[in-house]
Amino acid sequence: MLRVGIIGTGGIADAHINGYLAFPDDCEIVALADVVAGKAARKAEAFELTAAAFDDPLAMIASGLVDLVSIATPPSTHAALAIAALDAGIDVLVEKPMAPSLEECDAMLAAQERSGRVLSVVAQNRFRDDLATLKDVVDSGLLGSISHVRVDSAWWRGLPYYDLWWRGTWEKEGGGCTLNHAIHHIDLLLWLLGSPTEITAMLANAQHDNAEVEDLSVAVFRYDRGLAQLTSSVVHHGQEQAIVIQGANARVSQPFSVVAERARADGFPEQGGDPEVVARIDALVAARTPLAHLGHEGQIGDLLGAIRDGRPPIAGGQDGRNAVEVVTAIYKAGVERQFVSLPIGASDPYYRAGQLVANAPRFFEKKASLIEAAS
């Protein structure tokens, strides 16, 4: 029975708590911590948990009470807390993004290596049936070589969203929608296709004049012969997110659909497309076994199994770092107005913690700093 602690008791902590509660035979939540006095105790009471409450996360880590911690705090705190927990012999699940810089990500990976503990980074969308279906189709090879991928990380947030104390600044949040919203879609792109070789991008703040950070970015990725494009946004009404993958043989997308063209003698598309390719993809999808647990619950179940079985989790520390590397490339490309090749080496200034904070544009001044988000 693993003893679990939750560090950070804001809204996203609820998903972690519910995830652990879904596996009562494998774990028990025994402690919660938050730097806001009394907040951890209030969260424990709200969930009717018999758990110790700490106003100092490091005190919880040092208490000896926990075997596994979830870190659900602002991004700028992830590295220090994860390293402290790993060095104390505690397994770690850390919310996205893993950390604001590659330097911090590598320090976390080094702590994992020397401690021998498990480090997992939240990538809950890998534990969705529709997206797992998309990966199965890509991995099957039925699409043929990939020509183009369009990823829309389209969200909408009003001005008060950036009033919360840690949001809307490069120093505390680490970035805007690219790092803190599109990180999910970036992880999915890497999960589906692997790492690109080159990235370019543009950044903007189109609607939030109370935040330093971008609320919109558009990036282009080079993949072998093909390209991918990513829109990261918190200005899109309707929040219609999509992934569309164009292959040599067919197009598959999420929300899920399949289209396959077939050429006439003159090269134009034949009416009716290619039903045989569509049928083969549909058959693959129909044969899938649905996931037993979804979202955070699915990832937590996988993590508990990984700790029990001594295997790597589906979404490990290296996966979290890979996503941050892509974000770093997008920011460098947008700030410096250049093409950025991957991988980003340790000699690159943007590898280091603080470089983006020093160089990033301050689109607007943050106008409010609330301790708690308005409800």
Side-chain angles (χ1 to χ4, degrees):
M1 177 72 71
L2 288 171
R3 301 170 299 164
V4 176
I6 310 289
I7 301 176
T9 54
I12 197 60
D14 294 6
H16 289 253
I17 293 170
N18 285 323
Y20 290 113
L21 292 176
F23 301 95
D25 294 334
D26 300 306
C27 64
E28 179 185 6
I29 300 171
V30 300
L32 295 94
D34 199 291
V35 294
V36 178
K39 192 174 179 182
R42 292 192 296 272
K43 184 68 75 172
E45 182 180 0
F47 279 86
E48 299 181 349
L49 298 173
T50 303
F54 292 84
D55 295 333
D56 179 358
L58 294 178
M60 189 188 84
I61 288 170
S63 69
L65 291 176
V66 300
D67 307 305
L68 164 65
V69 296
S70 271
I71 298 174
T73 56
S76 61
T77 67
H78 287 180
L81 290 171
I83 291 168
L86 291 164
D87 283 342
I90 298 169
D91 297 310
V92 171
L93 173 63
V94 62
E95 261 296 338
K96 60 77 185 171
M98 182 174 176
S101 72
L102 289 170
E103 183 177 32
E104 292 164 292
C105 290
D106 282 345
M108 294 164 74
L109 291 173
Q112 177 192 16
E113 180 69 22
R114 65 176 173 262
S115 69
R117 308 313 303 178
V118 176
L119 172 62
S120 182
V121 179
V122 169
Q124 77 269 25
N125 287 327
R126 295 189 183 197
F127 299 87
R128 280 176 45 175
D129 270 313
D130 55 347
L131 296 169
T133 296
L134 206 62
K135 179 166 176 59
D136 285 349
V137 173
V138 171
D139 290 349
S140 74
L142 291 173
L143 297 180
S145 62
I146 303 301
S147 312
H148 178 259
V149 180
R150 175 173 63 84
V151 181
D152 293 333
S153 180
W155 306 87
W156 188 91
R157 295 293 184 268
L159 290 176
Y161 179 77
Y162 285 108
D163 289 345
L164 189 61
W165 68 274
W166 58 270
R167 289 189 187 132
T169 69
W170 293 101
E171 181 181 5
K172 293 293 191 297
E173 194 174 13
C177 56
T178 312
L179 179 67
N180 293 293
H181 290 78
I183 194 80
H184 293 298
H185 286 89
I186 290 168
D187 175 73
L188 290 172
L189 184 62
L190 296 175
W191 189 47
L192 291 167
L193 299 184
S195 181
T197 58
E198 189 177 37
I199 295 174
T200 192
M202 296 185 74
L203 313 173
N205 184 314
Q207 298 296 340
H208 294 86
D209 59 2
N210 61 339
E212 296 179 355
V213 297
E214 89 287 354
D215 62 10
L216 176 66
S217 71
V218 178
V220 178
F221 304 68
R222 185 176 299 283
Y223 275 99
D224 298 327
R225 293 175 62 186
L227 300 174
Q229 65 189 73
L230 168 70
T231 298
S232 310
S233 170
V234 286
V235 300
H236 274 58
H237 294 273
Q239 303 194 118
E240 295 171 349
Q241 295 150 42
I243 301 175
V244 182
I245 303 172
Q246 304 280 358
N249 303 327
R251 183 206 82 182
V252 65
S253 62
Q254 185 277 327
F256 194 80
S257 70
V258 181
V259 178
E261 306 287 3
R262 182 165 52 190
R264 301 184 323 204
D266 61 1
F268 284 86
E270 187 174 276
Q271 186 174 2
D274 192 333
E276 293 181 8
V277 171
V278 172
R280 292 176 66 190
I281 293 173
D282 283 343
L284 174 72
V285 172
R288 285 193 71 255
T289 300
L291 298 172
H293 300 278
L294 304 176
H296 278 78
E297 181 180 310
Q299 180 157 4
I300 286 170
D302 172 72
L303 174 60
L304 296 173
I307 295 170
R308 180 186 63 243
D309 300 337
R311 61 168 175 82
I314 288 175
Q318 186 62 49
D319 297 303
R321 184 201 187 275
N322 292 344
V324 171
E325 181 173 47
V326 169
V327 172
T328 302
I330 291 172
Y331 281 145
K332 179 181 178 180
V335 172
E336 304 293 340
R337 300 188 177 189
Q338 62 180 234
F339 290 84
V340 177
S341 297
L342 296 182
I344 294 175
S347 62
D348 190 304
Y350 279 83
Y351 170 90
R352 296 195 297 271
Q355 181 70 20
L356 180 62
V357 174
N359 285 18
R362 270 63 178 175
F363 289 102
F364 295 97
E365 182 180 353
K366 185 175 175 67
K367 296 178 180 177
S369 186
L370 303 179
I371 297 298
E372 298 282 357
S375 58

